[in-house]
Amino acid sequence: MRVSHASAACTINSCAITSIWHPSPARHRDHRLTMRRDNDWRYMPARHYFIQGGGRGLGLAFVERLLADDERARVITSVRDPEQASTLARLAQEHGDERLQVVALDLADEDSIAAARSRIGALTARLDLMITCGGLLHDDQGMWPEKKLADVEPAHLARAFAVNASGPLLMIKHFHDLLCHGERAVIASLSARVGSISDNGLGGWYAYRAS
């Protein structure tokens, strides 16, 4: 997992996630009231979370966990085709549109990312957390993990880089302003152990590891 903080000045620094919600005692003058409010959801402002790739796998698990554990969570998630995201549709019906919104976004298409930014900007003026969960190892168009160098295809390399490397950076390009609001905000991009270069004793899977 690659994680960044967006500070009030919009600088991005390396860090590690310790928790999603960090109440600040400085917000309240009365320390006793602070302690009471820090443990009472009624006094906590809504938190706005954006999970890219929330239709399945870890992305869907993040959506489900945030909705279940944080009653103040306002979750926005994206998939390439919302019409096919039946589990998200069920969750939206269960929790209501106020708590869960699903938007279309293709991580390999900057126009799609920009359109999603416009849609999300109409839903909220800020984000407290953005997680990019999308990744490409293989697809149904003939792209498969390479077992040997002879399997490397330039088109497959380009597609892997578009999704796994360029995609998360373009997400930050288009959404960073929503994370610059003077309070703690987190940007995270998920990867997998199979994408590790250092932990590679068998070779292969060149496009995924490189991207």
Side-chain angles (χ1 to χ4, degrees):
M1 178 187 293
R2 297 180 291 275
V3 187
S4 300
H5 268 186
S7 72
C10 244
T11 57
I12 299 176
N13 304 302
S14 177
C15 69
I17 291 181
T18 54
S19 66
I20 290 175
W21 167 243
H22 259 241
S24 174
R27 295 180 185 176
H28 309 291
R29 296 180 180 177
D30 188 327
H31 181 68
R32 291 170 299 177
L33 181 59
T34 298
M35 295 299 292
R36 188 161 62 249
R37 288 185 174 183
D38 283 351
N39 294 293
D40 191 333
W41 285 109
R42 295 174 301 172
Y43 294 102
M44 293 182 183
R47 309 295 286 175
H48 299 273
Y49 307 121
F50 177 32
I51 311 298
Q52 180 279 326
R56 61 181 181 177
L58 286 174
L60 179 59
F62 277 124
V63 172
E64 293 176 326
R65 187 64 178 267
L66 286 168
L67 290 171
D69 289 1
D70 184 349
E71 65 184 49
R72 287 284 173 142
R74 302 294 181 265
V75 180
I76 302 169
T77 190
S78 69
V79 294
R80 280 179 293 176
D81 184 2
E83 295 296 325
Q84 300 298 318
S86 57
T87 302
L88 290 176
R90 175 183 58 78
L91 288 171
Q93 185 175 21
E94 178 182 341
H95 293 277
D97 291 342
E98 181 183 358
R99 297 202 62 210
L100 178 61
Q101 289 279 339
V102 183
V103 302
L105 190 155
D106 184 344
L107 201 57
D109 183 348
E110 185 172 9
D111 289 339
S112 174
I113 295 173
R117 164 62 182 83
S118 296
R119 170 75 189 283
I120 291 171
L123 296 173
T124 179
R126 62 176 285 160
L127 291 172
D128 299 289
L129 171 71
M130 181 175 75
I131 303 180
T132 302
C133 299
L136 177 65
L137 175 62
H138 60 82
D139 60 22
D140 57 1
Q141 301 174 17
M143 180 177 176
W144 289 95
E146 307 92 342
K147 299 296 181 61
K148 55 186 182 295
L149 285 170
D151 295 335
V152 174
E153 294 286 346
H156 296 169
L157 282 172
R159 180 156 168 73
F161 271 86
V163 174
N164 302 336
S166 301
L169 184 57
L170 290 173
M171 291 287 292
I172 297 173
K173 170 185 174 180
H174 287 278
F175 286 92
H176 77 276
D177 59 313
L178 294 180
L179 292 125
C180 294
H181 42 64
E183 298 182 25
R184 184 176 186 269
V186 174
I187 299 170
S189 181
L190 300 189
S191 183
R193 184 174 181 179
V194 71
S196 172
I197 295 176
S198 60
D199 183 26
N200 177 11
L202 298 177
W205 301 37
Y206 301 106
Y208 190 83
R209 293 185 192 276
S211 61

